[in-house]
Amino acid sequence: FTLDDERLLTALASQAAITLEALKLQLKLNISNAELVDASRRLRQKVTELGFLYDNERHLGEAEDEMDLADRVLKLGAHVARCERAALFLPEENGFGSAWIRGPGDAQGLVPLCRFAVGEGILGKTASRGEVCVLREADFERQGMPRELGGDCNFPVRDVVAAPLVDGDEVMGAVAYVNRRQL
């Protein structure tokens, strides 16, 4: 090899090093951009959640009584969760309680369903267990859960997320979002 070959190789190596460094920086930039896009998505989700909490708090303050409060919270919840209906179960000390249901656009507002016992149906089991319950498709059979909200409330349930209403250590009832709407 000649001195010219050595100079040519040195120049090519220098260009290759610059190109490799530029590629590394581009890769870091792409990773940072993806992280920024993900952070932006999470921030939008948090803003939506905070908006929901703000609206919920405002509705709490405007409610005239417990049923008006339940109506407002279920309406807003059904809208935000993009589900067909939101349901509420409030058991009494005797172990039985009433349930109500409401859709995001229902003109009639809160509709009474039926009375049933703690432990019956999705709402009753959620209240008795004190745990969140998410059911889709075959989950009902696998978890031994009926496709009903409780008692003989005849409302078809395809999928559901139900959560206990908890005050300190006491479970006061359950709320559920029923039948997620397809977008």
Side-chain angles (χ1 to χ4, degrees), residues 2 4 24 31 40 58 75-76 81 91 100-102 109 141 143 146 155:
T2 66
D4 288 339
K24 285 180 186 178
I31 290 170
S40 176
R58 192 182 73 221
K75 178 181 179 181
L76 181 61
W100 297 268
I101 196 163
R102 192 204 208 294
E141 289 73 28
Q143 293 185 30
F155 182 81

Side-chain angles (χ1 to χ4, degrees), residues 21-55:
E21 186 62 28
L23 287 173
K24 285 180 186 178
L25 291 172
Q26 183 64 45
L27 181 60
K28 286 181 181 179
L29 183 61
N30 290 347
I31 290 170
S32 295
N33 192 32
E35 290 171 349
L36 184 59
V37 167
D38 186 53
S40 176
R41 180 195 55 77
R42 288 192 318 266
L43 180 60
R44 280 192 305 277
Q45 178 65 32
K46 289 295 180 189
V47 167
T48 300
E49 290 170 5
L50 287 172
F52 170 72
L53 292 172
Y54 172 77
D55 288 345

Side-chain angles (χ1 to χ4, degrees), residues 119-133:
E120 282 187 55
I122 296 163
L123 288 168
K125 286 182 184 279
T126 300
S128 69
R129 294 176 181 172
E131 298 173 353
V132 173
C133 172

